[in-house]
Amino acid sequence: MTNYPNMFAPLDLGFTTLKNRVLMGSMHTNLEEVGDWYRIAEYFGERAAGGVALMVTGGMAPNVEGGVFPGASGLFSDTDIANHKIVTDRVHAEGGKIAMQILHAGRYAYNHKAVAPSAIKSPISPFPPAELDADGIEKQIADFVVASECAKQAGYDGVEIMGSEGYFLNEFLVTHTNKRTDEWGGSFANRMRLPVEIVRRCREAVGPDFIIIYRISLIDLIPNGQTWEEVVTLAKAIEAAGATILNTGIGWHEARIPTIATSVPRAAFAWVTKKLMGEVSIPIITSNRINTPEVADSVLADGCADMVSMARPFLADSQFVAKAAAGKADQIAPCIACNQACLDHTFSLKTSTCLVNPRACYETELNYGPAETTKNVAIVGAGPAGLATALVAAQRGHRVTLFDMADKIGGQLNIAKQVPGKEEFFGLVEYYIKMLEVYEVDVRLGRRAAVDDLIDFDEVVMATGVTPRDPEIKGQDGPNVVNYIDVLRDKAPVGNRVAIIGAGGIGFDVAEFLTQQGESSTLNLDEWKAEWGVGDPAITRGGLAASGPKPEAAARQVTLLQRKAQKLGKGLGKTTGWIHRAALAMKDVDMIGGVNYEEITSEGLHISTGEGRENPRLLEVDTVVLCAGQLPERGLADALEAKGITAHVIGGADVAAELDAKRAINQGSRLAASF
Ligand code: NAP
Ligand code: SF4
């Protein structure tokens, strides 16, 4: 009996069969821009070997004007085709299938050559697009056709035509961005002409035995988005034009509703795909926040789709499907949907990787092969840095002992998981518990490791983490002052009016924790939809609820403060910072920058502004929470050094500034790969 019968059912496409119902969705990793095609081949090859039925590449521009940014990868020359062939050959050698995504960015192009149905600048690119004339539109169609022919020549099993997320084809569909009065604008029949024509002509060019996936926007989540009737009309026309599969797109990039962040409930949009089931006869794929085999199988069992798309989970674990098939789902490294090492990197023009798996996109240089000599390794600290070191060292065959003075592993991960919207951290800690057991790490908890405990080891690793920084504010020893650990871990009592000192990642987390009323909306889809204003696209255009966002009232009145005179939350994740700011704004959190902390008294927090300490003011609050950053905890490392024992110092114990789990896990994994 297969563990996940729906997920592992083959899918017959007529001319070819997919071995299971799992698609690795398109992700732009910036690997193509690095230009090392053997590295790209290894990245996809490892995932093909891991059993996924079909993969989709990152978006390839069909022409220069459609590139997401100047120099974005595309398929233009014989050399390009030969390079892509290195990848497709590698994937086929592993028994996999791969389709190339054709992505025309339209008005989202970060590119002064950007083109669009109408000359309307997008809020997320500084470049106003030029309006295409009739010849220009013909050229775009021809370029899509050439791209699909080149993809076939390069050995791809198919193409995915990107028609969602607010890119070029999506822009034609709605009056928000299409103000044309010719045959490509006006009525919906005219507005949908371009995507349908592109699918029809691509099919004509590539012949019948080639997969064409069309990524259709099912819920635009923008003002004046498509109606459900329009979505269904388009889906039927795309099927008739020759598409093999419909994949789901959710929300435009400019939408102000989160669609894939960790605070979005799992499978939050599967219900939208389900509405389309039965309207067309080709297979439909659902996507967004599906990150475990259980969730994937259950959305299929519920009839939400014929197939599931997961993208980031394949960065976290290339062997996702193989482990699920082998009954080892609890050994799958979970994608926690943080975006920190994938999308945040992509949008900073850095190579993507994964917070929980630093090997992602580094498959040719970071490997965990068997160690030449088996060593006894001691690791002090079972937070992210220590856990990653322990796991990789043990996987390589070392004998590992892991010490932590807490009575459970996880370190700061256990603090993060308390925050509403960060429940995925529970799964990450569970994963490490399981993997330490599988690789027989000797875990010693509940006692502070001493120098004598560490003498007989070949390698000693200090991953002792951080301690809260002392902000040295007058009155901070008062009974009305606590720090973030007291609040998040020890559940210290906190009054109704709160001032939070420090607006870094932890200050924001504490504000979300203290304003949350009852259960986190991440665990309650209906509540989450109401909170962000997601409606049924059959009732309201684009799926924006007519009544707008309806957040729950805040549990407390919170003021978040920092000394820097800049926007609060500027240093948060590039693709997620806006969500944290919006979430706190919905809870009426007052955000104040540019302050001096004068004194804490029983009345509250006294502040002033500017170098001249002007505008003295009392914030009348019941509790002040200190979230003023962190310092390295390296007392034991110093004691070891005094005894002549050299330890590797990693994670927060090494550098506390801007420490996050991404850097900790990366550093620990790379260290353990080196000895
Ligand atoms: P942080 O990001 O460095 O923020 C520390 C805050 O404390 C800043 O707002 C800083 O602002 C303030 N501060 C610094 N020195 C102070 C002093 N002497 N007195 C008063 N205030 C002071 O550190 P964190 O919030 O502790 O977060 C630690 C790490 O965890 C961060 O690197 C963060 O990336 C990571 N994290 C990330 C997330 C996420 O959502 N991605 C969530 C939680 C944690 P001023 O100097 O302007 O006052
Ligand atoms: Fe998932 Fe975070 Fe890894 Fe991206 S970096 S794949 S969101 S765990």
Side-chain angles (χ1 to χ4, degrees):
M1 164 81 184
T2 318
N3 287 307
Y4 304 100
N6 302 286
M7 200 172 107
F8 284 108
L11 182 62
D12 184 2
L13 298 177
F15 58 92
T16 189
T17 299
L18 302 182
K19 59 188 167 194
N20 55 54
R21 303 295 177 111
V22 183
L23 176 99
M24 175 173 131
S26 174
M27 282 177 285
H28 204 94
T29 58
N30 285 338
L31 268 181
E32 287 82 2
E33 282 70 30
V34 173
D36 179 348
W37 289 86
Y38 290 94
R39 181 170 165 190
I40 303 169
E42 201 52 36
Y43 162 75
F44 281 112
E46 186 168 310
R47 283 153 182 85
V52 61
L54 177 61
M55 298 180 287
V56 182
T57 66
M60 302 290 159
N63 52 28
V64 172
E65 57 271 34
V68 179
F69 50 83
S73 49
L75 248 190
F76 303 114
S77 66
D78 289 348
T79 316
D80 288 329
I81 293 173
N83 284 335
H84 282 258
K85 193 136 195 340
I86 297 169
V87 177
T88 56
D89 284 348
R90 178 82 174 81
V91 168
H92 294 151
E94 296 291 354
K97 286 188 166 53
I98 184 164
M100 188 191 85
Q101 187 185 74
I102 308 175
L103 168 66
H104 189 309
R107 78 200 255 275
Y108 281 169
Y110 210 82
N111 177 348
H112 67 274
K113 293 188 172 158
V115 294
S118 302
I120 303 170
K121 197 180 93 59
S122 90
I124 60 171
S125 164
F127 300 98
E131 178 173 321
L132 285 163
D133 61 15
D135 288 347
I137 289 180
E138 279 301 327
K139 175 185 181 299
Q140 307 308 310
I141 299 173
D143 290 342
F144 268 86
V145 172
V146 169
S148 58
E149 287 171 325
C150 290
K152 193 171 180 189
Q153 259 177 284
Y156 284 103
D157 301 278
V159 288
E160 175 172 85
I161 295 174
M162 180 51 161
S164 63
E165 260 75 1
Y167 289 116
F168 185 60
L169 300 185
N170 211 172
E171 289 159 17
F172 270 82
L173 293 168
V174 297
T175 54
H176 181 66
T177 41
N178 183 348
K179 310 284 185 197
R180 303 179 72 94
T181 52
D182 61 2
E183 62 183 315
W184 306 101
S187 66
F188 189 69
N190 280 355
R191 299 201 307 271
M192 74 172 196
R193 191 183 306 281
L194 181 68
V196 175
E197 193 58 16
I198 283 175
V199 172
R200 192 184 68 74
R201 289 209 222 159
C202 286
R203 171 57 74 205
E204 220 171 67
V206 297
D209 299 345
F210 191 68
I211 298 169
I212 296 183
I213 307 168
Y214 183 81
R215 183 102 175 259
I216 183 170
S217 181
L218 294 187
I219 181 166
D220 292 323
L221 299 177
I222 51 148
N224 296 320
Q226 294 167 90
T227 64
W228 186 248
E229 205 187 331
E230 289 170 349
V231 169
V232 174
T233 305
L234 174 66
K236 289 180 171 167
I238 292 286
E239 176 181 19
T244 323
I245 300 174
L246 286 177
N247 192 4
T248 298
I250 301 291
W252 288 37
H253 285 319
E254 69 202 70
R256 292 293 87 182
I257 293 172
T259 55
I260 61 166
T262 192
S263 56
V264 176
R266 286 179 172 181
F269 293 95
W271 61 275
V272 190
T273 317
K274 189 174 188 177
K275 289 171 79 76
L276 194 63
M277 292 292 278
E279 299 282 4
V280 291
S281 53
I282 52 177
I284 304 177
I285 304 175
T286 193
S287 73
N288 289 50
R289 287 291 282 120
I290 297 169
N291 66 343
T292 69
E294 287 75 14
V295 177
D297 201 71
S298 75
V299 295
L300 293 171
D302 289 349
C304 295
D306 300 292
M307 217 175 155
V308 291
S309 169
M310 289 177 270
R312 297 170 298 170
F314 284 99
L315 290 180
D317 199 328
S318 62
Q319 304 304 300
F320 184 105
V321 174
K323 287 181 184 176
K328 295 180 177 172
D330 53 1
Q331 296 184 40
I332 295 172
C335 166
I336 56 170
C338 63
N339 286 359
Q340 278 174 250
C342 52
L343 278 171
D344 285 352
H345 279 212
T346 308
F347 284 95
S348 311
L349 301 183
K350 292 196 274 187
T351 304
S352 293
T353 181
C354 174
L355 177 141
V356 303
N357 174 25
R359 282 196 67 245
C361 298
Y362 290 83
E363 286 80 7
T364 50
E365 64 166 72
L366 180 59
N367 280 298
Y368 307 148
E372 278 175 22
T373 318
T374 302
K375 293 181 175 177
N376 290 316
V377 179
I379 300 161
V380 184
L387 289 169
T389 315
L391 179 52
V392 173
Q395 280 173 333
R396 297 189 59 225
H398 294 305
R399 281 183 292 271
V400 179
T401 307
L402 178 62
F403 299 88
D404 200 296
M405 62 183 183
D407 59 3
K408 54 186 171 200
I409 67 159
Q412 297 241 4
L413 298 176
N414 290 321
I415 296 182
K417 73 187 189 188
Q418 307 301 328
V419 178
K422 292 202 166 177
E423 291 78 7
E424 290 292 352
F425 279 92
F426 278 97
L428 185 55
V429 176
E430 289 303 314
Y431 163 73
Y432 279 118
I433 291 172
K434 178 70 192 175
M435 297 310 273
L436 296 185
E437 179 195 309
V438 169
Y439 287 97
E440 297 179 356
V441 172
D442 179 2
V443 182
R444 300 188 192 174
L445 298 173
R447 191 172 65 82
R448 190 180 285 274
V451 172
D452 287 349
D453 294 321
L454 305 171
I455 300 174
D456 293 332
F457 288 91
D458 304 311
E459 304 282 351
V460 177
V461 180
M462 286 291 123
T464 41
V466 290
T467 47
R469 176 188 283 127
D470 178 357
E472 298 178 15
I473 299 169
K474 193 174 166 199
Q476 68 180 25
D477 296 331
N480 54 346
V481 183
V482 289
N483 73 22
Y484 63 91
I485 299 175
D486 302 326
V487 174
L488 293 175
R489 189 191 65 193
D490 302 336
K491 307 290 181 297
V494 174
N496 285 328
R497 300 168 307 165
V498 185
I500 299 176
I501 288 183
I506 292 179
F508 268 75
D509 277 356
V510 168
E512 293 200 31
F513 178 83
L514 290 177
T515 50
Q516 176 65 35
Q517 191 96 250
E519 189 189 40
S520 160
S521 64
T522 302
L523 304 176
N524 183 330
L525 182 57
D526 288 336
E527 200 183 291
W528 181 85
K529 280 161 63 185
E531 181 178 352
W532 287 94
V534 178
D536 184 339
I539 297 170
T540 165
R541 263 190 185 276
L544 287 187
S547 53
K550 285 256 174 288
E552 290 248 295
R556 292 180 180 81
Q557 184 192 321
V558 170
T559 307
L560 186 58
L561 302 119
Q562 72 180 17
R563 296 172 306 173
K564 288 185 283 293
Q566 63 181 33
K567 187 169 76 172
L568 273 73
K570 206 161 175 252
L572 297 175
K574 204 168 172 67
T575 61
T576 52
W578 70 271
I579 302 171
H580 295 296
R581 282 191 294 273
L584 293 193
M586 288 199 289
K587 302 278 183 173
D588 293 323
V589 171
D590 199 8
M591 301 194 195
I592 312 179
V595 301
N596 308 305
Y597 306 112
E598 299 295 348
E599 185 179 7
I600 303 168
T601 64
S602 57
E603 295 170 297
L605 175 63
H606 298 259
I607 57 172
S608 65
T609 52
E611 283 183 21
R613 308 192 96 85
E614 300 116 26
N615 307 317
R617 182 180 156 198
L618 167 67
L619 297 179
E620 290 181 34
V621 294
D622 309 305
T623 310
V624 175
V625 186
L626 305 178
C627 304
Q630 307 173 332
L631 296 173
E633 170 58 70
R634 43 191 311 164
L636 185 56
D638 293 342
L640 277 176
E641 207 169 312
K643 284 244 175 185
I645 301 172
T646 307
H648 307 276
V649 182
I650 62 167
D654 175 24
V655 182
E658 289 174 18
L659 169 74
D660 59 20
K662 177 180 78 172
R663 175 155 64 78
I665 291 174
N666 195 313
Q667 196 181 12
S669 304
R670 285 177 185 271
L671 172 67
S674 71
F675 53 62

